[in-house]
Amino acid sequence: MARLALALDDSTEDRIIADIVEHGHTIVARLAGWRDLLENLDVLGPDVALVGAARSTLSVELLAGCDERGIRLIALAVTDAERAHASQLGLHEVVDHDAPWTDIERLVTGGVPVPSRVGELLARQERAASVIAVWGPGGAPGRSTLAVNLAAEIAAAGHTVALVDGDPYGGAIAPVLGLLDEAPGFASACRLAGADALDRVELERIAQRYSAPRAAFNVFTGLVGPSRWPELSRDRVTAAIEAMRAWVEYVVVDTGFSLEHDEELTSDQFAPRRNAATFAALAAADRVVAVGLADPVGLSRLLRGHVDLVDLVDPDRVDVVVNRVRTSALGIDAHAQVRQTLRRFGGLSDATLLPHDSKATDAAILTARTLRDAAPRSPLRMAIRDYAFEALLPTPEPSRRRGFAIPTLRRAATG
């Protein structure tokens, strides 16, 4: 039987302590926080550390200490935020705080501990997160839909994600996901960043959470009205995105459509610029996803906009995505028609084509969920997932533990 060290809240301890004793385990200590537990690991010599997933009881230092000593670390999460905290630290063995002891027992007696990703985490802290900006020309090409579902697929791959609605012409992500938008989260983040007060605590306070099994992510909602665009100044947006880089692994930004340099239209060179937020997001992005509609008008807008886009962004950082590819708008062999048009008029030989899937998108809008949750087997969801895995996510390297293949992720280089 195992020797257990506990760092749990009183109610959870009271619930499970009888089960621990009944199953023959020994409790070597009941401690208040991760620091006390870490300082006493050598003295106590536990086989298993059972802790809460809150920041007061779970930290990267504790993970490293347990990994060094071969001690299994199991966290009990009360909220989605706590589960996200454990995931961000790289802890694999996390259960709900109200899970029956039989579920916890399987982890306590489950053989060799699964090492955390603490080494990967420490390395990640030394490098910035990846920023993905989703841009598209006017005409509703599907920027918000693509941004939302890219965030969902990246989160489903085990990464921490912040989805940002940075459109200065009005937010769309909050209604798409059924979130409250009375207080625009991204504007609040920008104001705090402008005052040099945007830290991890404030980011967690401002962000709303889209909750889904194994694919939850943070959301910073957009402006509730177009008149509030001066709140998204270039310096503030840049500072806010940089703060998010240190908080999560991926930042996905839904940008505005306009690439017009409106300072050329006014004599006041110090006035705020409406498109500054879009320029700031594009400048900060490691990868820009340029999305357009697969019809004659949409392709024309995409090709013209792409010329302006590559004046701002290195073409090597731009991926072209064509949305709603359908024969009803382009005739027979619509995919070939799109590729030929892009190659002939834009010199674009590599593009990702997404199918027209109104049934899936309608289901997602109706239920205010992502495609992964509303229509997981839809062609559109599968195409977005494939693009995310092939172009945006790390390359999986298989590693075997306990007889199962557990992916070990390494970050792909970003240009």
Side-chain angles (χ1 to χ4, degrees):
M1 295 295 101
R3 293 166 52 84
L4 273 65
L6 308 182
L8 301 164
D9 62 88
D10 293 340
S11 61
T12 303
E13 278 192 3
D14 293 341
R15 181 178 68 85
I16 66 175
I17 197 165
D19 291 313
I20 294 174
V21 175
E22 182 179 344
H23 282 75
H25 303 299
T26 301
I27 300 175
V28 297
R30 299 168 65 181
L31 302 166
W34 68 264
R35 288 184 176 84
D36 291 339
L37 178 55
L38 179 60
E39 291 172 358
N40 290 283
L41 285 178
D42 292 326
V43 176
L44 299 171
D47 302 310
V48 179
L50 194 60
V51 305
R55 298 182 183 279
S56 60
T57 50
L58 179 63
S59 71
V60 66
E61 292 86 355
L62 180 60
L63 264 69
C66 289
D67 281 355
E68 289 173 1
R69 296 165 177 82
I71 298 170
R72 182 185 298 276
L73 184 61
I74 302 171
L76 275 63
V78 177
T79 64
D80 283 341
E82 290 185 359
R83 185 175 287 275
H85 171 59
S87 175
Q88 184 176 1
L89 294 182
L91 182 61
H92 297 286
E93 295 174 323
V94 183
V95 296
D96 291 334
H97 81 291
D98 56 357
W101 177 257
T102 52
D103 291 350
I104 304 173
E105 175 72 12
R106 284 195 288 268
L107 295 177
V108 170
T109 61
V112 179
V114 177
S116 71
R117 293 184 298 164
V118 64
E120 177 186 335
L121 173 71
L122 292 173
R124 190 177 74 223
Q125 290 176 341
E126 298 177 358
R127 60 176 179 258
S130 294
V131 176
I132 301 164
V134 181
W135 173 86
R143 289 186 305 273
S144 298
T145 297
L146 185 56
V148 164
N149 288 287
L150 284 176
E153 297 302 334
I154 295 171
H159 298 280
T160 53
V161 181
L163 174 62
V164 174
D165 192 335
D167 189 346
Y169 292 85
I173 285 178
V176 166
L177 294 177
L179 302 175
L180 297 175
D181 62 354
E182 284 85 354
F186 188 50
S188 299
C190 288
R191 286 196 298 273
L192 288 168
D196 198 23
L198 186 62
D199 56 15
R200 179 183 294 269
V201 174
E202 290 295 338
L203 286 168
E204 292 177 349
R205 180 182 67 83
I206 296 168
Q208 296 192 52
R209 189 78 174 164
Y210 175 79
S211 298
R214 298 179 298 279
F217 52 89
N218 302 287
V219 182
F220 292 88
T221 55
L223 300 179
V224 295
S227 62
R228 298 184 63 174
W229 63 265
E231 297 178 39
L232 306 183
S233 70
R234 182 161 191 157
D235 291 343
R236 287 181 173 185
V237 170
T238 300
I241 292 175
E242 288 304 311
M244 293 175 192
R245 279 184 184 270
W247 181 49
V248 294
E249 294 175 89
Y250 285 86
V251 181
V252 180
V253 186
D254 179 16
T255 73
F257 68 93
S258 179
L259 300 180
E260 182 180 41
H261 290 278
D262 44 11
E263 63 268 22
E264 297 174 358
L265 306 179
T266 176
S267 59
D268 186 354
Q269 296 298 312
F270 300 99
R273 312 302 179 196
R274 182 157 195 171
N275 300 323
T278 300
F279 294 139
L282 293 175
D286 302 289
R287 179 64 51 185
V288 176
V289 182
V291 57
L293 282 177
D295 58 46
V297 175
L299 289 173
S300 176
R301 287 173 171 169
L302 175 62
L303 289 168
R304 290 192 176 97
H306 185 269
V307 174
D308 296 331
L309 180 65
V310 296
D311 285 340
L312 301 170
V313 180
D314 185 345
D316 291 338
R317 291 194 285 131
V318 178
D319 292 342
V320 175
V321 174
V322 181
N323 193 21
R324 296 181 62 187
V325 178
R326 58 206 188 278
T327 58
S328 60
L330 295 171
I332 299 173
D333 199 358
H335 286 73
Q337 296 273 15
V338 170
R339 295 190 185 281
Q340 181 179 0
T341 299
L342 294 176
R343 185 167 50 250
R344 179 179 179 183
F345 296 102
L348 303 173
S349 58
D350 188 16
T352 299
L353 308 187
L354 303 180
H356 179 53
D357 194 349
S358 59
K359 184 177 180 180
T361 53
D362 287 349
I365 287 293
L366 181 63
T367 58
R369 295 188 296 170
T370 64
L371 288 169
R372 183 180 183 275
D373 296 326
R377 297 187 178 181
S378 66
L380 178 57
R381 185 259 162 162
M382 301 300 286
I384 293 176
R385 185 198 64 177
D386 291 345
Y387 166 70
F389 273 76
E390 293 171 4
L392 304 178
L393 288 176
T395 302
E397 296 178 343
S399 174
R400 294 195 172 271
R401 295 185 184 273
R402 298 185 186 177
F404 298 94
I406 301 175
T408 301
L409 299 179
R410 59 178 171 83
R411 186 180 302 280
T414 54

Coordinates of all heavy atoms in Angstrom, one line a residue, residues 87-90 117 119-129 160 247-249 411:
S87 N -3.1 21.8 -16.2 CA -2.7 21.5 -17.5 C -1.6 22.4 -18.0 O -0.7 21.9 -18.7 CB -4.0 21.6 -18.5 OG -3.6 21.4 -19.8
Q88 N -1.7 23.7 -17.7 CA -0.6 24.6 -18.1 C 0.7 24.2 -17.5 O 1.8 24.4 -18.1 CB -1.0 26.0 -17.7 CG -0.1 27.1 -18.1 CD -0.6 28.5 -17.8 OE1 -1.6 28.6 -17.2 NE2 0.2 29.5 -18.2
L89 N 0.7 23.7 -16.2 CA 1.9 23.3 -15.6 C 2.5 22.0 -16.2 O 3.6 21.7 -16.1 CB 1.7 23.1 -14.1 CG 1.4 24.4 -13.3 CD1 1.3 24.0 -11.8 CD2 2.5 25.4 -13.5
G90 N 1.6 21.2 -16.9 CA 2.0 20.0 -17.5 C 1.7 18.8 -16.7 O 2.3 17.7 -16.9
R117 N 5.2 17.5 -17.6 CA 5.9 18.2 -18.6 C 6.6 19.4 -18.0 O 6.8 20.4 -18.6 CB 5.0 18.6 -19.7 CG 4.4 17.5 -20.5 CD 3.5 18.0 -21.6 NE 2.4 18.8 -21.1 CZ 1.7 19.7 -21.9 NH1 2.0 19.9 -23.1 NH2 0.7 20.3 -21.3
G119 N 9.7 20.0 -17.4 CA 10.9 20.5 -18.2 C 10.5 21.3 -19.4 O 11.0 22.3 -19.7
E120 N 9.4 20.8 -20.1 CA 8.9 21.5 -21.2 C 8.3 22.9 -20.8 O 8.5 23.9 -21.5 CB 7.8 20.7 -21.9 CG 7.1 21.4 -23.1 CD 5.9 20.6 -23.6 OE1 5.9 19.4 -23.4 OE2 5.1 21.2 -24.2
L121 N 7.7 22.9 -19.6 CA 7.1 24.2 -19.1 C 8.2 25.2 -18.8 O 8.1 26.3 -19.2 CB 6.3 23.9 -17.8 CG 5.8 25.2 -17.1 CD1 4.7 25.8 -18.0 CD2 5.3 24.8 -15.7
L122 N 9.3 24.8 -18.1 CA 10.3 25.7 -17.8 C 11.0 26.2 -19.1 O 11.3 27.4 -19.2 CB 11.4 25.0 -17.0 CG 10.9 24.6 -15.5 CD1 11.9 23.8 -14.8 CD2 10.5 25.9 -14.8
A123 N 11.1 25.3 -20.1 CA 11.7 25.8 -21.4 C 10.7 26.8 -22.1 O 11.1 27.7 -22.7 CB 12.0 24.6 -22.3
R124 N 9.4 26.5 -21.9 CA 8.4 27.3 -22.6 C 8.4 28.7 -21.9 O 8.2 29.7 -22.6 CB 7.1 26.7 -22.4 CG 6.0 27.4 -23.3 CD 4.7 26.7 -23.2 NE 4.0 26.9 -21.9 CZ 3.4 26.0 -21.2 NH1 3.4 24.7 -21.6 NH2 2.9 26.3 -20.0
Q125 N 8.7 28.8 -20.6 CA 8.7 30.1 -20.0 C 9.8 31.0 -20.5 O 9.8 32.2 -20.3 CB 8.9 29.9 -18.4 CG 7.6 29.3 -17.8 CD 7.8 29.0 -16.3 OE1 9.0 28.9 -15.9 NE2 6.7 28.8 -15.6
E126 N 10.8 30.4 -21.1 CA 12.0 31.1 -21.7 C 11.7 31.6 -23.1 O 12.5 32.3 -23.7 CB 13.2 30.3 -21.6 CG 13.6 29.9 -20.2 CD 14.8 29.0 -20.1 OE1 15.3 28.7 -21.3 OE2 15.3 28.7 -19.1
R127 N 10.6 31.1 -23.7 CA 10.3 31.6 -25.0 C 8.8 32.0 -25.1 O 8.0 31.6 -24.3 CB 10.5 30.4 -26.0 CG 9.7 29.2 -25.8 CD 9.9 28.2 -26.9 NE 9.2 27.0 -26.7 CZ 9.6 25.8 -26.2 NH1 10.9 25.8 -25.9 NH2 8.9 24.8 -26.1
A128 N 8.5 32.9 -26.0 CA 7.2 33.4 -26.1 C 6.2 32.4 -26.7 O 6.6 31.5 -27.4 CB 7.2 34.7 -27.0
A129 N 5.0 32.6 -26.4 CA 3.9 31.8 -26.9 C 3.7 32.1 -28.4 O 4.2 33.2 -28.9 CB 2.6 32.0 -26.2
T160 N -2.7 25.4 -23.8 CA -3.5 26.5 -23.2 C -3.6 27.6 -24.3 O -2.7 27.9 -24.9 CB -2.8 27.0 -21.9 OG1 -1.5 27.4 -22.2 CG2 -2.8 26.0 -20.8
W247 N 1.4 34.0 -20.6 CA 0.3 33.4 -19.8 C -0.1 32.0 -20.4 O -0.4 31.1 -19.7 CB -0.8 34.3 -19.7 CG -2.0 33.9 -18.9 CD1 -2.0 33.3 -17.6 CD2 -3.4 33.9 -19.3 NE1 -3.2 33.0 -17.2 CE2 -4.1 33.4 -18.2 CE3 -4.0 34.4 -20.4 CZ2 -5.5 33.3 -18.2 CZ3 -5.4 34.3 -20.4 CH2 -6.1 33.8 -19.3
V248 N -0.2 31.9 -21.7 CA -0.7 30.7 -22.4 C 0.3 30.3 -23.5 O 1.3 31.0 -23.7 CB -2.1 31.0 -23.0 CG1 -3.1 31.2 -21.9 CG2 -2.0 32.1 -24.0
E249 N 0.0 29.2 -24.1 CA 0.9 28.7 -25.1 C 0.5 29.2 -26.5 O 1.4 29.4 -27.4 CB 0.8 27.2 -25.2 CG 1.4 26.5 -23.9 CD 1.2 25.0 -24.0 OE1 2.1 24.3 -24.5 OE2 0.1 24.5 -23.5
R411 N 7.4 21.9 -30.0 CA 6.8 23.0 -30.7 C 7.5 23.1 -32.1 O 8.7 23.1 -32.2 CB 7.1 24.3 -29.9 CG 6.4 25.5 -30.6 CD 6.7 26.7 -29.7 NE 6.3 26.6 -28.4 CZ 5.0 26.8 -28.0 NH1 4.1 27.1 -28.9 NH2 4.7 26.6 -26.7

